Amino acid sequence: MEARRDFDKRHYEKANETLEGLRYVTAGTRLGGEVLFLLGETAYKRGKYPEAESHYAAYLNTYQEGSFAEKAVYMQAMSKIRQIQKRKIGFFSFRSYIPHDRDITLLREARVLFEIYMGSYPSGEWFEAAAARAEELLLKEGRHELEIASFYLKKKNPRSALARAERVLDGDYPDSTKAAARDLAREAEKMLSSDGARQDL
């Protein structure tokens, strides 16, 4: 296929134009699966990460058992990661990082996809990479929840702080994250009990 040749030569814009022309005439066919998958690949290479995510998802919705399904799951997760990834300027380089101090919906969705990949492809090519990413994202989710709980404590809202801490304690977070959540929960409970004592006076 001409689009595949252009993709392999890194002519991503040209490949994308060809694939868009084939997209609807090949829909539902075996070739249509490859077209959808390659649309995801060319979008990813062009830095169009929401578009790439959409194409990978469309491929997986239609061709769950297709020959590109394994990579599509992994790359859909990576597309979500790229949408939230930021770059930090160092002395002589740029370093990419994933923030946890804002809406973490995409972060959580990416982690779930990496876990789906691990469950579906235990011997998969990207299993170790997916496992490392899932662990990193779970830590960031936990840190996000802890920071919100701390914020509520500072604002003298112990009920909301306790709810956030308990969310961490009920989750599959690492022991260090749960230990921090227990400390916050104790602080929130002390604040609640002292509030109750004051009301009884």
Side-chain angles (χ1 to χ4, degrees):
M1 185 168 56
E2 182 183 349
R4 170 64 79 175
R5 287 194 298 272
D6 286 332
F7 180 85
D8 291 341
K9 292 177 182 178
R10 301 183 181 181
H11 300 159
Y12 302 126
E13 291 289 349
K14 187 176 178 184
N16 183 70
E17 288 177 17
T18 304
L19 291 164
E20 285 291 358
L22 292 170
R23 182 177 182 180
Y24 296 105
V25 296
T26 61
T29 69
R30 187 191 59 79
L31 180 59
E34 185 174 2
V35 166
L36 260 183
F37 176 75
L38 283 175
L39 278 167
E41 295 282 85
T42 55
Y44 189 90
K45 292 294 187 182
R46 289 156 50 231
K48 309 287 187 182
Y49 301 121
E51 184 180 323
E53 179 194 342
S54 176
H55 289 312
Y56 290 129
Y59 173 84
L60 290 165
N61 284 338
T62 310
Y63 304 92
Q64 296 96 331
E65 305 299 324
S67 55
F68 304 105
E70 178 185 346
K71 190 174 183 183
V73 175
Y74 182 78
M75 293 305 297
Q76 186 184 2
M78 286 303 301
S79 298
K80 289 180 183 290
I81 290 292
R82 294 292 185 237
Q83 289 176 62
I84 57 178
Q85 206 165 45
K86 303 295 179 186
R87 301 186 81 190
K88 185 179 289 184
I89 301 173
F91 282 110
F92 301 106
S93 63
F94 292 97
R95 184 174 68 83
S96 295
Y97 71 100
I98 300 168
H100 65 275
D101 58 347
R102 57 196 71 197
D103 181 9
I104 61 166
T105 302
L106 283 173
L107 186 154
R108 186 175 287 119
E109 289 173 354
R111 176 180 60 78
V112 169
L113 281 168
F114 284 128
E115 290 174 350
I116 289 171
Y117 176 89
M118 292 159 61
S120 301
Y121 307 100
S123 301
E125 182 177 349
W126 300 280
F127 182 88
E128 289 185 10
R133 286 285 189 182
E135 183 179 357
E136 176 191 8
L137 296 177
L138 186 62
L139 280 168
K140 288 183 181 293
E141 276 186 58
R143 198 177 306 164
H144 177 80
E145 296 291 348
L146 293 174
E147 288 179 2
I148 291 175
S150 295
F151 171 80
Y152 281 134
L153 279 177
K154 288 175 186 173
K155 294 293 183 181
K156 308 298 183 189
N157 186 345
R159 291 189 189 282
S160 295
L162 185 58
R164 285 287 177 166
E166 287 176 342
R167 185 185 298 186
V168 174
L169 292 170
D170 290 340
D172 294 325
Y173 296 99
D175 291 342
S176 58
T177 304
K178 288 195 171 188
R182 276 190 289 273
D183 290 341
L184 288 168
R186 278 193 288 268
E187 282 188 57
E189 286 165 351
K190 282 181 190 175
M191 198 178 290
L192 282 168
S193 61
S194 64
D195 287 347
R198 278 196 295 270
Q199 288 171 12
D200 290 338
L201 292 176

